[in-house]
Amino acid sequence: MAEAPPAGPNDEISVATSLLTSAAVVGCGVIGAGWASRLRLSGVDVCVYDPSPTVGTIIDEVHDNAVRGWEALGVMPDNVGSLTIASSLEDTVGGAGLVVESVPERLELKHATLVAIDETTGPETIIASSTSGFKPSVLAGPLTRPERLIVGHPFNPVYLLPLVEVVAGTATTEATVERAMTIYRSLGMHPLRVRAEIDAHIADRLLEAVWREALWLINDGIATTAEIDDAIRFGFGLRWAQMGLFETYRIAGGTGGMRHFIAQFGECLDWPWTKLMDTPELTDELIETIARQSDEQSGHLSIRELERIRDQNLASMLLALEQNGWGAGRTIAEQRRSQGGSKGTGD
Ligand code: NAD
């Protein structure tokens, strides 16, 4: 079984050979540390800046998990890029072909950080923000050279999930976007070009909808955190990982396909199946309920243990998809091809 041949710009698979030799990561928490690992595992030398005193520990712990993940996938390279932890932003970004900004999601902090990067790098450096929500034109507002800024929105864990949403601002040049897309492919990723700027891009708008509905279900005492997670992971979550939403519903329409599906379920959109347009107030009581239920559900495992379980599951799913020549498995297959075939476990 194999998917139909690529049809559009977002489906193109062509991995560039190493066109990036050095990169900088500014802000090295959950996402920045994940970027640092993916870059290093792709042979890129990485310099990071994060004022947190625990940055070294976070980088090491995340990188350990990343290595395990790449070993499980069988794509662990022979050579890994170097890591430098700098003591100032200015010492970090100079000379980097790509600067990844992953500081917290606050506009004034993003602006201050991006301006500092803008002032300290040459015009050929691509500046990529990991922002989950801001439009690139909003981020680029105070920059002197906004033409080289894009949003490159990844997904946690960055070192395993191939998707990166690529969004251009009004000032971003097409050359910048194309170069960024090529770089992302060289990192074993699947860059998805978002056609137009919109708050929260594509994926987080979908996730926000599910998140809101889940908050209502807890708020109204309908389901617990564990029950909601079961409703996802034993059912439609498995479908989503391999076919997404539309192809899944096309099949759900039987041989009549999408037209029959909409004829059958279209009316439900007007029924009270969702409270999506309304937001539950995050009262102390609701937050406590969610946090307590989450502790009961998963508190027996540390976050790092949960990450390792997640990563092992993701690697196995990606390998299964690769074997079937389908979805995200095709990105892994391409990464393996670009490495020159099967790699060892890296032991
Ligand atoms: P985080 O809180 O885990 O990490 C942010 C890091 O930035 C911290 O380590 C902090 O010390 C550092 N920092 C703070 N001020 C700084 C400064 N002035 N200079 C350099 N570093 C600074 O946050 P995160 O979850 O990694 O999110 C970072 C960005 O990635 C946000 O824009 C977020 O929207 C985006 N993002 C997050 C996720 C996710 O699942 N967490 C997914 C995709 C994108």
Side-chain angles (χ1 to χ4, degrees), residues 26-32 49-52 58 89 101-105 109-110 113 130-133 153-156:
V26 179
C28 221
V30 173
I31 292 305
Y49 169 66
D50 189 312
S52 166
I58 288 172
L89 184 146
E101 172 276 301
S102 300
V103 301
E105 191 80 348
L109 178 59
K110 294 272 188 206
T113 305
S130 300
T131 180
S132 300
H153 178 235
F155 293 79
N156 191 34

Short mmCIF file of all heavy atoms in Angstrom, two decimals, residues 26-32 49-52 58 89 101-105 109-110 113 130-133 153-156, ligand 1:
data_model
loop_
_atom_site.label_atom_id
_atom_site.label_comp_id
_atom_site.label_asym_id
_atom_site.label_seq_id
_atom_site.Cartn_x
_atom_site.Cartn_y
_atom_site.Cartn_z
N VAL A 26 17.04 30.51 20.43
CA VAL A 26 16.88 31.51 21.50
C VAL A 26 15.61 31.19 22.26
O VAL A 26 14.51 31.22 21.69
CB VAL A 26 16.81 32.94 20.91
CG1 VAL A 26 16.61 33.96 22.03
CG2 VAL A 26 18.07 33.25 20.12
N GLY A 27 15.76 30.84 23.54
CA GLY A 27 14.65 30.32 24.33
C GLY A 27 14.70 28.81 24.22
O GLY A 27 14.47 28.26 23.15
N CYS A 28 15.05 28.17 25.33
CA CYS A 28 15.32 26.73 25.24
C CYS A 28 14.53 25.97 26.30
O CYS A 28 15.11 25.28 27.13
CB CYS A 28 16.82 26.50 25.37
SG CYS A 28 17.40 25.27 24.24
N GLY A 29 13.22 26.10 26.25
CA GLY A 29 12.36 25.31 27.13
C GLY A 29 11.91 24.07 26.40
O GLY A 29 12.69 23.43 25.68
N VAL A 30 10.64 23.74 26.55
CA VAL A 30 10.08 22.53 25.93
C VAL A 30 10.38 22.51 24.43
O VAL A 30 10.88 21.53 23.88
CB VAL A 30 8.55 22.47 26.18
CG1 VAL A 30 7.91 21.33 25.41
CG2 VAL A 30 8.26 22.35 27.67
N ILE A 31 10.07 23.62 23.76
CA ILE A 31 10.17 23.65 22.30
C ILE A 31 11.59 23.93 21.81
O ILE A 31 12.11 23.25 20.93
CB ILE A 31 9.17 24.70 21.74
CG1 ILE A 31 7.75 24.21 21.98
CG2 ILE A 31 9.41 24.97 20.25
CD1 ILE A 31 7.42 22.83 21.43
N GLY A 32 12.25 24.93 22.42
CA GLY A 32 13.61 25.25 21.99
C GLY A 32 14.54 24.07 22.16
O GLY A 32 15.37 23.79 21.27
N TYR A 49 20.70 30.18 23.56
CA TYR A 49 20.69 31.17 24.65
C TYR A 49 19.36 31.09 25.39
O TYR A 49 18.29 31.13 24.78
CB TYR A 49 20.87 32.60 24.13
CG TYR A 49 20.60 33.61 25.23
CD1 TYR A 49 21.45 33.67 26.34
CD2 TYR A 49 19.49 34.45 25.19
CE1 TYR A 49 21.18 34.55 27.38
CE2 TYR A 49 19.24 35.34 26.23
CZ TYR A 49 20.08 35.37 27.32
OH TYR A 49 19.82 36.22 28.36
N ASP A 50 19.46 30.94 26.70
CA ASP A 50 18.28 30.95 27.57
C ASP A 50 18.78 31.37 28.94
O ASP A 50 19.73 30.78 29.46
CB ASP A 50 17.66 29.54 27.61
CG ASP A 50 16.31 29.52 28.33
OD1 ASP A 50 16.20 30.08 29.44
OD2 ASP A 50 15.37 28.92 27.79
N PRO A 51 18.19 32.42 29.55
CA PRO A 51 18.70 32.91 30.84
C PRO A 51 18.41 31.97 32.01
O PRO A 51 18.93 32.18 33.11
CB PRO A 51 17.95 34.24 31.03
CG PRO A 51 16.72 34.12 30.20
CD PRO A 51 17.05 33.22 29.06
N SER A 52 17.62 30.94 31.80
CA SER A 52 17.28 30.04 32.90
C SER A 52 18.52 29.30 33.41
O SER A 52 19.30 28.77 32.61
CB SER A 52 16.24 29.02 32.44
OG SER A 52 16.16 27.98 33.39
N ILE A 58 17.90 20.91 31.15
CA ILE A 58 16.76 20.67 30.25
C ILE A 58 17.25 20.17 28.89
O ILE A 58 16.73 19.20 28.35
CB ILE A 58 15.93 21.96 30.09
CG1 ILE A 58 15.18 22.23 31.39
CG2 ILE A 58 14.95 21.87 28.92
CD1 ILE A 58 14.46 23.55 31.46
N LEU A 89 22.39 36.71 24.17
CA LEU A 89 21.76 36.49 22.86
C LEU A 89 22.73 36.88 21.75
O LEU A 89 22.87 36.18 20.75
CB LEU A 89 20.48 37.32 22.78
CG LEU A 89 19.63 37.15 21.53
CD1 LEU A 89 18.15 37.29 21.87
CD2 LEU A 89 19.99 38.13 20.43
N GLU A 101 13.51 31.25 17.23
CA GLU A 101 13.06 31.96 18.45
C GLU A 101 11.97 31.13 19.12
O GLU A 101 10.95 30.84 18.49
CB GLU A 101 12.56 33.37 18.05
CG GLU A 101 11.89 34.15 19.17
CD GLU A 101 10.43 33.78 19.33
OE1 GLU A 101 9.67 33.92 18.37
OE2 GLU A 101 10.08 33.32 20.44
N SER A 102 12.21 30.76 20.38
CA SER A 102 11.23 29.94 21.12
C SER A 102 11.07 30.46 22.54
O SER A 102 11.11 29.68 23.51
CB SER A 102 11.65 28.47 21.14
OG SER A 102 11.74 27.95 19.84
N VAL A 103 10.95 31.78 22.69
CA VAL A 103 10.73 32.35 24.03
C VAL A 103 9.22 32.29 24.33
O VAL A 103 8.42 32.02 23.44
CB VAL A 103 11.26 33.81 24.12
CG1 VAL A 103 12.75 33.85 23.81
CG2 VAL A 103 10.49 34.76 23.23
N PRO A 104 8.82 32.53 25.59
CA PRO A 104 7.40 32.42 25.94
C PRO A 104 6.49 33.29 25.07
O PRO A 104 6.91 34.32 24.52
CB PRO A 104 7.37 32.87 27.41
CG PRO A 104 8.71 32.50 27.93
CD PRO A 104 9.66 32.78 26.79
N GLU A 105 5.23 32.85 25.00
CA GLU A 105 4.24 33.46 24.09
C GLU A 105 3.70 34.79 24.63
O GLU A 105 2.52 34.92 24.95
CB GLU A 105 3.12 32.43 23.87
CG GLU A 105 2.14 32.74 22.77
CD GLU A 105 2.64 32.41 21.38
OE1 GLU A 105 3.84 32.14 21.20
OE2 GLU A 105 1.82 32.45 20.46
N LEU A 109 7.75 40.37 24.77
CA LEU A 109 8.99 39.60 24.87
C LEU A 109 9.43 39.10 23.49
O LEU A 109 10.62 39.15 23.15
CB LEU A 109 8.80 38.42 25.83
CG LEU A 109 9.99 37.49 26.01
CD1 LEU A 109 11.22 38.23 26.53
CD2 LEU A 109 9.63 36.33 26.94
N LYS A 110 8.47 38.65 22.71
CA LYS A 110 8.79 38.21 21.33
C LYS A 110 9.41 39.38 20.56
O LYS A 110 10.44 39.22 19.89
CB LYS A 110 7.51 37.75 20.60
CG LYS A 110 6.86 36.50 21.17
CD LYS A 110 7.44 35.25 20.55
CE LYS A 110 6.68 34.00 20.93
NZ LYS A 110 7.53 32.79 20.86
N THR A 113 12.95 40.25 21.73
CA THR A 113 13.89 39.19 21.35
C THR A 113 14.16 39.23 19.84
O THR A 113 15.31 39.17 19.38
CB THR A 113 13.31 37.81 21.74
OG1 THR A 113 12.99 37.84 23.12
CG2 THR A 113 14.29 36.70 21.46
N SER A 130 8.77 30.17 16.69
CA SER A 130 7.97 28.96 16.98
C SER A 130 6.57 29.31 17.45
O SER A 130 5.81 28.41 17.83
CB SER A 130 8.65 28.13 18.08
OG SER A 130 9.91 27.70 17.70
N THR A 131 6.20 30.58 17.44
CA THR A 131 4.93 31.01 18.03
C THR A 131 3.74 30.12 17.66
O THR A 131 3.56 29.77 16.49
CB THR A 131 4.59 32.46 17.64
OG1 THR A 131 3.35 32.82 18.23
CG2 THR A 131 4.47 32.63 16.13
N SER A 132 2.93 29.82 18.67
CA SER A 132 1.73 29.02 18.43
C SER A 132 0.59 29.88 17.91
O SER A 132 -0.35 29.37 17.30
CB SER A 132 1.26 28.35 19.72
OG SER A 132 2.25 27.51 20.23
N GLY A 133 0.66 31.20 18.21
CA GLY A 133 -0.53 31.99 17.93
C GLY A 133 -0.34 33.24 17.09
O GLY A 133 -1.22 33.61 16.31
N HIS A 153 6.15 26.89 12.93
CA HIS A 153 5.47 26.38 14.14
C HIS A 153 5.57 24.85 14.20
O HIS A 153 4.99 24.14 13.38
CB HIS A 153 3.99 26.81 14.10
CG HIS A 153 3.21 26.29 15.26
ND1 HIS A 153 2.06 25.55 15.14
CD2 HIS A 153 3.42 26.39 16.60
CE1 HIS A 153 1.59 25.23 16.32
NE2 HIS A 153 2.40 25.72 17.23
N PRO A 154 6.32 24.35 15.21
CA PRO A 154 6.54 22.91 15.31
C PRO A 154 5.54 22.27 16.28
O PRO A 154 4.68 22.96 16.84
CB PRO A 154 7.94 22.85 15.91
CG PRO A 154 7.92 24.01 16.89
CD PRO A 154 7.03 25.06 16.29
N PHE A 155 5.71 20.99 16.51
CA PHE A 155 4.84 20.26 17.43
C PHE A 155 5.67 19.42 18.38
O PHE A 155 6.69 18.87 17.99
CB PHE A 155 3.84 19.40 16.62
CG PHE A 155 2.90 20.30 15.87
CD1 PHE A 155 3.30 20.91 14.69
CD2 PHE A 155 1.68 20.64 16.41
CE1 PHE A 155 2.48 21.83 14.04
CE2 PHE A 155 0.85 21.55 15.78
CZ PHE A 155 1.25 22.14 14.61
N ASN A 156 5.25 19.38 19.60
CA ASN A 156 5.99 18.70 20.66
C ASN A 156 5.73 17.20 20.62
O ASN A 156 4.56 16.80 20.61
CB ASN A 156 5.53 19.29 22.01
CG ASN A 156 6.40 18.85 23.15
OD1 ASN A 156 7.59 18.68 22.99
ND2 ASN A 156 5.81 18.64 24.31
P1 NAD B 1 8.75 27.25 27.82
O1 NAD B 1 8.21 28.08 28.90
O2 NAD B 1 8.88 25.77 28.03
O3 NAD B 1 10.16 27.78 27.34
C1 NAD B 1 10.44 29.13 27.12
C2 NAD B 1 11.90 29.36 27.46
O4 NAD B 1 12.24 30.68 27.10
C3 NAD B 1 12.21 29.18 28.95
O5 NAD B 1 13.23 28.21 29.10
C4 NAD B 1 12.67 30.57 29.38
O6 NAD B 1 13.72 30.53 30.35
C5 NAD B 1 13.17 31.15 28.06
N1 NAD B 1 13.22 32.61 28.05
C6 NAD B 1 12.47 33.49 28.73
N2 NAD B 1 12.86 34.75 28.44
C7 NAD B 1 13.87 34.65 27.54
C8 NAD B 1 14.67 35.58 26.85
N3 NAD B 1 14.51 36.91 27.02
N4 NAD B 1 15.62 35.13 26.01
C9 NAD B 1 15.79 33.81 25.81
N5 NAD B 1 15.06 32.86 26.44
C10 NAD B 1 14.10 33.29 27.29
O7 NAD B 1 7.80 27.54 26.54
P2 NAD B 1 7.58 26.62 25.27
O8 NAD B 1 6.42 25.75 25.50
O9 NAD B 1 8.88 26.04 24.85
O10 NAD B 1 7.08 27.73 24.21
C11 NAD B 1 7.99 28.53 23.50
C12 NAD B 1 7.35 28.98 22.20
O11 NAD B 1 7.00 27.82 21.42
C13 NAD B 1 6.05 29.76 22.39
O12 NAD B 1 5.97 30.78 21.42
C14 NAD B 1 4.96 28.72 22.15
O13 NAD B 1 3.77 29.27 21.65
C15 NAD B 1 5.62 27.88 21.08
N6 NAD B 1 5.14 26.49 20.98
C16 NAD B 1 4.88 25.75 22.11
C17 NAD B 1 4.44 24.43 21.97
C18 NAD B 1 4.20 23.56 23.17
O14 NAD B 1 3.56 22.49 23.01
N7 NAD B 1 4.72 23.86 24.34
C19 NAD B 1 4.26 23.87 20.68
C20 NAD B 1 4.56 24.65 19.56
C21 NAD B 1 4.99 25.97 19.72
#
